[in-house]
Amino acid sequence: MIKEFEARFGPILEKKTLGEKKVLYTIMARPEDFPDMVRFLLAGENVRLFTMVGTDERTVEDAFSITYWFADTSKGEILGLRLYVPEDRPVFPSVAQFHKGALWFEREVQDLLGVEAEGLPDRRRLVLPDDWPEGVYPLREDFKYSESPPGEKKYPYVRPPEGSSVHAIGPYHIALDEPAHFRLFVKGEEIVGVDYRGFYSHRGIEKLARGRLNYNQICFIAERICGICGFSHSTVYAQAIEEAAGIEVPERAEYIRTLLLELERLHSHLLWIGVAAHLVGFDTAFMDVWRIRERVMWLAERLTGNRKTYGLVVVGGVRRDLLDYRRELVERELAVLKKEFDNVVEFLLSSRGFIKRCEGVGVLPKEKARAWDVCGPVARASGVDYDVRRDFPYAAYGDLSFEVPLEKEGDVLARAKVRIEEVKQSISLIEQVLDAMPGGSILADFGDIPEGAEGISAVEAPRGENVHYVLTGDRNTLYRWRVKAATYNNLQAVPDMLVGYTIADAPLIIASIDPCYSCTERVQVVDIESGKSRVVRLGVGICL
């Protein structure tokens, strides 16, 4: 990807190398050239839109910057394409006009920075509350993090197709574990269209981190982005800082991170498999899977002191070592878990009721999966052969052997099969980590981190790729932190999965992507000086 792109557009670009197989280009010519560059990149068979970052750089560059990041999964290359947008005309050409996966990115940067994507197909708000005033943009440098300006409540919903009625799931609904609003347009029982409204859980974490918290404090904030895959967020954030600062993490710390990342994948997938069984009415399997999951939660508590939110990752390594007796504990529990899991999977997949409810339901074809840049088990169930652990190795994964499960049917059953096989692969990976655990230090020594350094990193969380971008500031604080969780991609594809199926299928289809709304919407605003939390009113509902 990098070589071909330079050959085509090199003369009008300024290049910056961030790391091995990782570069950033700034466009030095007309903004009108930008869409052609993006089209050229996305035409690559294995190239996907990784993330997009909007930054207020008016104090440095007298402009806003918009950076699209692309990943070539076959070559392990990451390429950034940056465009500077002047304050007096904050407009840039929309990528979402020809690539659906850019839609939420461009709606978000319009909300939070006031930079408009010209030609954006859907100009409605994405992140900001319904009653947020026009012309106030919270990620601009001149906006104080503690402000909550009053405004007029309004939100333009999509009109249902002629002859259809609206069936609402949410914002609060028994089938949803967090606030979300799916407006299903139905004719009889058939779903003919969907309008999604989310971001009821947005908590302003990126603004909170700007210049107020030091690098290690943010590790603990990052882990609280998600109640299930929090460790993956703290790990990927630390990796981005380590890349920006050139910090070499000790090998033993990398192995300990890998062990806990796979324990997290285990308990997350076991939770989902149990929920899937519950949603089809197979509660015997549901309770049995969750009984097995308790072994993993108990192990996590013995290793870190907590069932969840381990508090183990810091920049440069980990805070606690793995003691020998705990290693033996993990080995004993894994042996029991492996046997019990095989039994419950056989029980689950022998149920005709479970198979019939999942097979051929919520199909997402491979071409649509690629168009939305979906990731994780959702992508692999649709035949997209992509796993960050293999394609962009991090922690200890480059030293380990594992298979990436792949299905091609793209339905709920395929997503279940992928997760079931990934549980088995996770057990194998943990066994390998324990066998090959090196000795040595668990924390690197490093000094002040220079201002203006950039880093971007990804991990394969249980739901798919989590991508964090950082731009360092002064006084060992961040200037910009951008978080993109796996559900951010996968949730946008849900309307395509729902159309053509029935209302009764909707809860199962939605749950099949294992959605994490808080992960997607990113973090209660806390006044650090007073210690009090303040909830920003979000129209219909909030989630803390």
Side-chain angles (χ1 to χ4, degrees):
M1 172 178 67
I2 293 174
K3 183 178 179 181
E4 294 84 354
F5 186 75
E6 282 190 4
R8 175 77 178 270
F9 299 105
I12 57 173
L13 297 169
E14 182 180 280
K15 181 178 178 181
K16 177 181 180 182
T17 301
L18 300 187
E20 187 180 359
K21 296 186 177 182
K22 196 175 292 187
V23 298
L24 169 64
Y25 298 98
T26 300
I27 299 175
M28 307 301 291
R30 302 177 307 159
E32 291 80 7
D33 296 327
F34 178 68
D36 289 339
M37 295 179 178
V38 175
R39 283 190 176 95
F40 179 84
L41 288 167
L42 291 175
E45 184 180 356
N46 298 295
V47 176
R48 57 186 283 110
L49 179 56
F50 212 35
T51 189
M52 187 262 251
V53 185
T55 306
D56 184 354
E57 295 193 47
R58 290 176 295 169
T59 58
V60 181
E61 300 286 349
D62 293 323
F64 301 99
S65 68
I66 303 297
T67 310
Y68 284 81
W69 292 92
F70 303 87
D72 187 330
T73 61
S74 64
K75 297 180 179 179
E77 296 177 342
I78 295 175
L79 185 153
L81 190 57
R82 178 165 293 164
L83 181 69
Y84 282 102
V85 181
E87 183 179 7
D88 58 355
R89 191 176 184 274
V91 177
F92 68 97
S94 171
V95 172
Q97 294 180 93
F98 55 87
H99 184 68
K100 294 191 291 187
L103 182 60
W104 276 17
F105 291 131
E106 294 178 355
R107 290 176 66 187
E108 181 174 332
V109 83
Q110 175 183 269
D111 274 12
L112 301 183
L113 272 180
V115 180
E116 297 183 11
E118 196 168 34
L120 180 63
D122 186 352
R123 305 197 66 83
R124 295 179 299 163
R125 285 181 173 177
L126 178 72
V127 178
L128 292 179
D130 299 344
D131 58 354
W132 193 268
E134 297 288 343
V136 180
Y137 306 108
L139 274 188
R140 289 192 175 187
E141 286 294 294
D142 50 11
F143 180 87
K144 294 181 180 179
Y145 85 99
S146 57
E147 292 181 13
S148 182
E152 181 184 351
K153 182 177 177 181
K154 58 181 179 179
Y155 184 77
Y157 289 108
V158 170
R159 287 183 173 273
E162 186 176 350
S164 67
S165 58
V166 178
H167 180 89
I169 297 180
Y172 291 101
H173 191 275
I174 194 170
L176 303 174
D177 54 357
E178 297 176 73
H181 192 182
F182 294 88
R183 297 173 69 240
L184 308 182
F185 305 140
V186 299
K187 290 184 177 181
E189 283 289 311
E190 184 184 358
I191 300 168
V192 296
V194 182
D195 181 26
Y196 174 75
R197 172 74 164 121
F199 287 83
Y200 297 108
S201 304
H202 184 70
R203 295 160 284 172
I205 188 173
E206 294 165 349
K207 184 70 175 183
L208 184 64
R210 165 66 181 106
R212 299 184 60 83
L213 306 176
N214 66 41
Y215 294 118
N216 274 334
Q217 286 174 324
I218 295 174
C219 286
F220 299 95
I221 295 290
E223 193 161 6
R224 284 152 178 82
I225 291 174
C226 179
I228 296 296
C229 54
F231 190 79
S232 67
H233 278 290
S234 60
T235 299
V236 67
Y237 160 75
Q239 289 179 173
I241 294 292
E242 288 153 5
E243 177 181 85
I247 298 169
E248 188 171 343
V249 179
E251 191 178 17
R252 185 173 178 84
E254 298 277 39
Y255 271 73
I256 292 172
R257 286 181 180 181
T258 305
L259 170 63
L260 290 168
L261 285 167
E262 291 307 313
L263 276 180
E264 187 171 74
R265 192 180 321 279
L266 274 180
H267 82 69
S268 177
H269 281 354
L270 289 170
L271 183 146
W272 183 88
I273 294 166
V275 169
H278 171 66
L279 288 173
V280 303
F282 196 5
D283 279 354
T284 304
F286 163 51
M287 297 305 294
D288 207 19
V289 173
W290 275 34
R291 177 187 60 80
I292 296 170
R293 179 176 179 264
E294 275 302 300
R295 291 189 176 276
V296 183
M297 305 305 290
W298 182 81
L299 270 179
E301 185 173 11
R302 291 301 301 270
L303 293 174
T304 69
N306 295 288
R307 288 165 60 88
K308 269 304 292 140
T309 318
Y310 309 140
L312 208 69
V313 171
V314 288
V315 175
V318 294
R319 293 172 60 232
R320 295 178 185 169
D321 206 346
L322 178 67
L323 303 179
D324 286 342
Y325 85 91
R326 288 176 178 165
R327 169 181 170 170
E328 295 168 2
L329 189 70
V330 174
E331 290 172 339
R332 289 199 305 269
E333 288 298 318
L334 280 184
V336 177
L337 188 147
K338 186 190 301 186
K339 182 179 179 181
E340 291 187 341
F341 182 70
D342 287 343
N343 290 338
V344 77
V345 166
E346 183 180 357
F347 180 48
L348 184 66
L349 296 183
S350 65
S351 166
R352 292 186 63 188
F354 179 80
I355 299 298
K356 289 293 184 183
R357 285 289 284 115
C358 298
E359 194 172 28
V361 174
V363 174
L364 183 69
K366 183 177 181 178
E367 59 272 18
K368 288 188 176 181
R370 281 181 49 82
W372 286 113
D373 295 304
V374 302
C375 54
V378 177
R380 292 188 284 274
S382 294
V384 178
D385 189 7
Y386 170 51
D387 189 309
V388 180
R389 295 172 296 176
R390 180 196 64 196
D391 301 326
F392 300 94
Y394 56 94
Y397 289 108
D399 301 334
L400 307 176
S401 174
F402 62 99
E403 295 179 4
V404 176
L406 204 64
E407 299 285 338
K408 58 184 179 181
E409 290 78 10
D411 56 7
V412 174
L413 183 60
R415 290 168 210 138
K417 288 180 177 179
V418 167
R419 290 186 176 96
I420 287 169
E421 186 56 38
E422 286 189 2
V423 168
K424 299 176 183 179
Q425 293 296 320
S426 288
I427 293 172
S428 171
L429 283 166
I430 294 171
E431 291 172 339
Q432 292 178 59
V433 166
L434 294 174
D435 288 341
M437 180 72 70
S441 172
I442 59 170
L443 188 60
D445 292 325
F446 59 93
D448 290 345
I449 294 175
E451 182 179 359
E454 295 179 85
I456 185 168
S457 186
V459 304
E460 185 69 27
R463 296 172 175 88
E465 65 179 14
N466 286 347
V467 182
H468 285 219
Y469 163 87
V470 296
L471 171 61
T472 61
D474 59 358
R475 298 175 291 110
N476 277 316
T477 60
L478 278 178
Y479 187 87
R480 180 71 168 102
W481 176 30
R482 172 70 165 101
V483 178
K484 193 219 72 174
T487 304
Y488 194 95
N489 296 70
N490 296 341
L491 194 54
Q492 296 179 69
V494 170
D496 282 345
M497 299 180 195
L498 289 166
V499 172
Y501 300 96
T502 67
I503 295 172
D505 294 323
L508 181 61
I509 294 171
I510 295 168
S512 73
I513 72 163
D514 195 9
C516 179
Y517 303 100
S518 292
C519 228
T520 303
E521 300 165 12
R522 305 184 305 281
V523 197
Q524 141 193 352
V525 176
V526 180
D527 188 320
I528 296 176
E529 295 173 0
S530 68
K532 295 180 179 180
S533 65
R534 178 179 58 81
V535 179
V536 178
R537 188 158 54 90
L538 298 178
V540 184
I542 57 169
C543 177
L544 298 182

